[in-house]
Amino acid sequence: MRTVLVTGLGGAGRTAVAAATALAAARRGERTLFLSADPGEVLGAPIRGGVTTPEPVADGLWAARVEPAADFRAEFLSLQERCAAALDLLGAARLEGEELTELPGSEEFALLRALARAARGDWDRIVLDLPPLRRAIALLALPEQLRRYLRRLLPPERQAARALRPVLAQLAGVPMPAQQLYETAGRWDAELAAVQAVVEHPDTAVRLVAEPGPAAADALRTARLGLALQGPAPQMVVANRVLPAETPDTWLAGLIAQQHKHLAELRAEYGTVCELPHLGRDPRGLDDLALLAPSEAATPAAAPAPAAGWTIEDRRAEEGFLIWRLPLPGAVKEELTLVRRGDELVITAGPFRRIFALEPALRRCTVAGAGLTGGELTVRFAPDPGLWPRGA
């Protein structure tokens, strides 16, 4: 199964490009699912089917609307039911579904859960319409971040004592909420792990959609850095709404010249850029989408990065170090910070931050230096003689 995650600048037409990508895959004979929180009528009619019951759109193509409000209500009521004993102990009044309204961040969680459910289905390709760039990068980082929080707040090793909790509950005469907390945390961790596995899978690709212009160049540069840090790396840049090269209209000619100037800059920075024409109207329906299908034969904007993004090179024989490498295209040395915190490496690049868990070998080392060269961060780790196995 292949997964395509489509994001881009707000208003650049990413939903239409995502739908066109899904339609093209279906027409190549792939059993395809298109997921979006707001598909509108880009497919020619409103989408009413949900993730569990996608709506057939064309031969080989199904679409599902992700509904954050319904997803939030279902998850909240389910959690409330599992914590019923503890809530009753506290004398809390339960909330009804009718009085629940979604909270900020509900859409991100709903999209992640929809992707995890879809990945368990019988699809050749899933195309997910993500939010605009900055929110999409934060969303892709969310599974790993939340799993780290859960491990810190509810360490798995402390569950070893859970066999005693039913006995303690009988002795005390009251339920033991900790058991429910660990069970809920375990369920969340499993769901987040499933999403993280899809996001980090080698067959998952990110496509960035932008309308050529000065704002797009800056936003894509920032997004490329964020994706390099959080992963996965962008596989394709799609320039949408490209105007024809020639026109008798002098006013329009200036806009065309600006577009093509920025297209040349995008090609120089990202390699081959997939260009989609401006249709002169908002795309609607399968015929319009067929004109906007990004070419699968286009050269990727960047070579796919490893699942984790980083690599380790053993240079102990030559230099006495283990070298940890992380591609960070577009990173600026003045905006880059690196902190060793126990068994973790905290890296901040511009507005983005990620905490990397160190490999066992690196945990027995000290940081001997770091550098940023040619868009790659390298960190030198020197083996600690007091911790490193003799003769290793």
Side-chain angles (χ1 to χ4, degrees):
M1 182 191 73
R2 296 181 59 83
T3 304
V4 180
L5 309 175
V6 181
T7 182
L9 277 67
R14 68 184 185 282
T15 300
V17 172
T21 301
L23 176 62
R27 290 187 171 179
R28 289 194 302 271
E30 298 181 37
R31 184 178 168 84
T32 305
L33 174 65
F34 170 56
L35 292 171
S36 176
D38 186 22
E41 295 190 5
V42 70
L43 292 169
I47 299 301
R48 297 184 176 86
V51 180
T52 55
T53 56
E55 182 176 332
V57 176
D59 289 343
L61 177 62
W62 285 258
R65 184 187 186 95
V66 181
E67 299 184 4
D71 182 85
F72 173 77
R73 285 194 295 271
E75 285 296 312
F76 186 93
L77 292 174
S78 176
L79 175 61
Q80 182 176 249
E81 185 61 31
R82 286 193 298 273
C83 297
L87 293 174
D88 291 343
L89 180 65
L90 297 171
R94 300 191 199 181
L95 295 169
E96 300 294 334
E98 292 76 10
E99 57 184 313
L100 293 175
T101 56
E102 61 181 301
L103 299 176
S106 298
E107 180 179 338
E108 283 76 6
F109 282 104
L111 285 168
L112 289 175
R113 277 190 284 267
L115 180 58
R117 293 190 194 107
R120 295 193 291 267
D122 183 24
W123 306 106
D124 298 319
R125 184 174 298 238
I126 297 171
V127 180
L128 176 60
D129 173 29
L130 290 175
L133 275 172
R134 290 293 289 271
R135 286 174 57 201
I137 294 172
L139 182 151
L140 294 175
L142 198 57
E144 182 182 70
Q145 290 174 345
L146 290 180
R147 294 186 72 199
R148 179 178 179 274
Y149 296 159
L150 286 172
R151 288 193 295 270
R152 288 293 299 274
L153 296 173
L154 296 168
E157 57 270 17
R158 293 187 184 175
Q159 296 187 55
R162 64 183 177 182
L164 298 176
R165 292 191 186 109
V167 178
L168 295 175
Q170 289 180 358
L171 294 174
V174 295
M176 304 299 288
Q179 174 68 17
Q180 294 156 347
L181 280 176
Y182 277 109
E183 289 175 353
T184 300
R187 185 177 67 89
W188 284 349
D189 184 73
E191 290 185 359
L192 291 167
V195 178
Q196 188 176 346
V198 175
V199 171
E200 295 179 351
H201 196 279
D203 286 334
T204 295
V206 174
R207 296 185 180 181
L208 306 181
V209 182
E211 191 170 343
D218 293 340
L220 287 177
R221 198 168 294 115
T222 302
R224 189 182 184 189
L225 173 60
L227 286 169
L229 187 61
Q230 305 293 0
Q235 176 245 11
M236 181 187 292
V237 171
V238 179
N240 194 27
R241 299 175 183 152
V242 176
L243 297 168
E246 298 180 2
T247 177
D249 189 320
T250 56
W251 180 86
L252 195 57
L255 184 58
I256 291 172
Q258 176 181 273
Q259 264 202 355
H260 284 263
K261 171 180 177 292
H262 287 287
L263 273 173
E265 293 175 358
L266 288 175
R267 293 190 204 101
E269 188 164 353
Y270 298 97
T272 300
V273 175
C274 180
E275 299 178 25
L276 302 181
H278 198 306
L279 300 182
R281 60 187 181 278
D282 289 335
R284 181 173 175 178
L286 301 184
D287 291 340
D288 282 352
L289 293 179
L291 302 174
L292 297 178
S295 172
E296 293 292 320
T299 302
W310 48 263
T311 57
I312 299 176
E313 183 181 359
D314 190 346
R315 303 286 297 174
R316 286 176 297 161
E318 300 87 349
E319 304 173 19
F321 300 115
L322 291 166
I323 309 296
W324 188 87
R325 302 180 186 276
L326 177 69
L328 287 178
V332 179
K333 187 176 295 185
E334 292 74 20
E335 298 179 357
L336 184 66
T337 62
L338 184 150
V339 177
R340 168 78 180 268
R341 184 182 179 280
D343 292 338
E344 296 175 327
L345 202 60
V346 183
I347 297 177
T348 304
F352 307 102
R353 173 177 292 178
R354 183 174 178 183
I355 300 175
F356 293 87
L358 293 176
E359 292 294 296
L362 299 183
R363 296 174 191 174
R364 302 193 299 272
C365 299
T366 58
V367 175
L372 180 67
T373 306
E376 182 181 69
L377 171 67
T378 59
V379 184
R380 297 187 300 279
F381 286 86
D384 185 335
L387 299 175
W388 202 261
R390 293 182 180 274

